[in-house]
């Protein structure tokens, strides 16, 4: 027996070394790829032309028209294309966690009803795929799901939340839209202040320069003023504008010759808020807080005051 002891010790050491190497993936073994909820054999996200999200009493529907996504329910709100792209990526890359039941006969116990909570996808060939989302599993981290009338599976709660987006989450929430590089002038008109931010004519090789009410301003200051307006966002879906008075007008002129006009209206029922219309014929308006525009006006006033102070200093020097 003693003569086998070295052999046994060697085998134990080898087994231990193999186990350690395996645990550290020294052999570079490929882990099994997680199964997709919707593989390409089920749907190709590039072929999706419409999707409807139902979450209780809330329904959101988007349709692709001339390669552009438009919201057709609950209203024709402007669409955030980045949010739509992220949604499409989620639906195509979502992982299936577990198979719960192969041939379910009682969906009620899983809370699965696409009419109450789910997604219906339409593809360019007219086909449809329906995904029902149900209750949380007992562990609370995953959610029951079912594609068509197939097996009941589970997906992560995070995935389910990312798919059941509201109209606001898919809506473009920023009323003021332009490309700074394409902007020729930006004008603000209201009862208490008026200013015009204008691009100077550029000669070849010159850097971009701006004026505010005819006085030169730093490029960083011009960008700050433009971006402060552009980043103002609403936290509500668009609503029909109040029949109030026009408090301000923003006019953006672009290099291609187009002009965008934004009007801010006030209404006594919405104290401290503005209805912002993004076009003369717009039937819906953004609701934004007055304080968000105050920051823009403070920046503009500060720049105008600096210009006035510089002018006064030069005048005193000349005297």
């Amino acid at each position: 027996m003693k003569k086998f002891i070295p052999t046994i010790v060697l085998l134990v050491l080898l087994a231990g070394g193999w186990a350690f190497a395996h645990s550290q993936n020294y052999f570079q073994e490929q882990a099994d790829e997680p199964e997709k909820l919707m593989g390409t054999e089920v749907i190709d996200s590039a072929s999706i032309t419409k999707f409807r999200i139902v979450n209780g009493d809330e329904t959101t529907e988007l349709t692709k028209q001339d390669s552009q996504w438009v919201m057709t329910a609950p209203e024709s709100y402007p669409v955030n294309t980045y949010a739509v792209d992220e949604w499409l990526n989620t639906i195509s890359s979502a992982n299936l966690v577990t198979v719960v039941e192969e041939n379910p006969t009682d969906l009620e116990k899983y809370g699965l009803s696409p009419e109450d909570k789910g997604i219906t996808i339409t593809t360019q060939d007219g086909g449809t795929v329906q995904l029902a989302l149900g209750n949380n599993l007992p562990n609370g981290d995953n959610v029951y799901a079912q594609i068509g009338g197939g097996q009941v599976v589970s997906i992560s709660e995070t995935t389910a939340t990312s798919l059941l987006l509201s109209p606001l989450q898919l809506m473009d929430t920023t009323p003021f839209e332009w490309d700074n590089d394409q902007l020729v002038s930006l004008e603000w008109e209201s009862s208490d202040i008026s200013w015009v931010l204008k691009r100077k004519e550029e000669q070849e090789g010159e850097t971009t320069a701006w004026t505010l009410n005819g006085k030169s301003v730093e490029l960083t200051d011009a960008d700050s003023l433009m971006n402060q307006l552009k980043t103002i966002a609403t936290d509500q879906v668009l609503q029909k504008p109040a029949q109030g008075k026009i408090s301000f007008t923003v006019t953006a002129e672009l290099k291609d010759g187009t002009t965008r006009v934004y009007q801010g209206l006030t209404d006594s029922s919405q104290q401290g808020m503005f209805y912002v219309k993004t076009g003369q014929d717009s039937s819906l308006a953004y609701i934004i807080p007055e304080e968000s525009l105050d920051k823009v006006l403070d920046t503009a006033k500060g720049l105008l005051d600096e210009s006035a102070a510089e002018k006064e200093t030069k005048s005193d020097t000349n005297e």
Side-chain angles (χ1 to χ4, degrees), residues 280-292:
Q280 296 292 337
D281 301 324
S282 177
S283 61
L284 297 172
Y286 290 83
I287 296 180
I288 60 174
E290 186 176 339
E291 62 184 22
S292 62

Side-chain angles (χ1 to χ4, degrees), residues 56-124:
D57 296 331
E58 191 172 64
T59 298
T60 310
E61 184 175 274
L62 276 79
T63 304
K64 201 177 222 182
Q65 298 178 1
D66 297 327
S67 300
Q68 299 293 323
W69 286 99
V70 297
M71 196 176 297
T72 49
E75 294 280 355
S76 55
Y77 301 139
V79 172
N80 182 337
T81 55
Y82 297 105
V84 174
D85 288 343
E86 190 65 28
W87 189 92
L88 292 170
N89 180 63
T90 301
I91 198 73
S92 62
S93 63
N95 291 330
L96 182 155
V97 178
T98 58
V99 175
V100 178
E101 188 174 355
E102 285 287 355
N103 300 298
T105 56
D106 181 11
L107 296 179
E108 187 175 346
K109 66 181 179 181
Y110 301 118
L112 289 167
S113 173
E115 291 77 18
D116 297 327
K117 186 188 295 185
I119 297 161
T120 302
I121 296 170
T122 304
T123 56
Q124 57 192 11

Side-chain angles (χ1 to χ4, degrees), residues 99-273:
V99 175
V100 178
E101 188 174 355
E102 285 287 355
N103 300 298
T105 56
D106 181 11
L107 296 179
E108 187 175 346
K109 66 181 179 181
Y110 301 118
L112 289 167
S113 173
E115 291 77 18
D116 297 327
K117 186 188 295 185
I119 297 161
T120 302
I121 296 170
T122 304
T123 56
Q124 57 192 11
D125 60 2
T128 59
V129 177
Q130 197 168 56
L131 170 66
L133 297 170
N135 301 329
N136 283 66
L137 272 69
N139 65 11
D141 295 331
N142 299 320
V143 172
Y144 294 114
Q146 183 188 38
I147 298 177
Q151 60 190 9
V152 174
V153 300
S154 69
I155 62 174
S156 73
E157 185 177 25
T158 301
T159 298
T161 301
S162 299
L163 291 175
L164 291 174
L165 297 185
S166 66
L168 181 62
Q169 290 172 301
L170 288 165
M171 187 187 90
D172 184 354
T173 57
T174 54
F176 305 105
E177 296 281 352
W178 56 76
D179 181 346
N180 288 357
D181 291 336
Q182 299 302 311
L183 195 66
V184 173
S185 68
L186 184 64
E187 182 176 2
W188 174 284
E189 292 184 31
S190 62
S191 59
D192 58 339
I193 184 174
S194 295
W195 50 263
V196 180
L197 183 68
K198 193 168 185 178
R199 183 190 297 268
K200 288 184 179 180
E201 291 190 13
E202 301 171 30
Q203 300 298 323
E204 187 175 350
E206 290 184 343
T207 57
T208 303
W210 294 86
T211 62
L212 185 64
N213 285 4
K215 302 297 181 181
S216 295
V217 293
E218 295 289 338
L219 178 59
T220 53
D221 291 330
D223 280 337
S224 175
L225 196 54
M226 290 183 279
N227 292 333
Q228 279 185 338
L229 265 175
K230 285 175 61 177
T231 54
I232 290 174
T234 184
D235 59 359
Q236 306 178 47
V237 294
L238 272 64
Q239 298 181 22
K240 290 188 176 180
Q243 298 301 314
K245 65 176 184 177
I246 298 175
S247 293
F248 68 84
T249 302
V250 175
T251 306
E253 293 186 12
L254 305 178
K255 288 182 178 179
D256 63 3
T258 60
T259 300
R260 300 179 186 178
V261 179
Y262 308 87
Q263 291 182 328
L265 297 88
T266 54
D267 176 45
S268 57
S269 66
Q270 286 275 13
Q271 293 292 331
M273 307 295 284

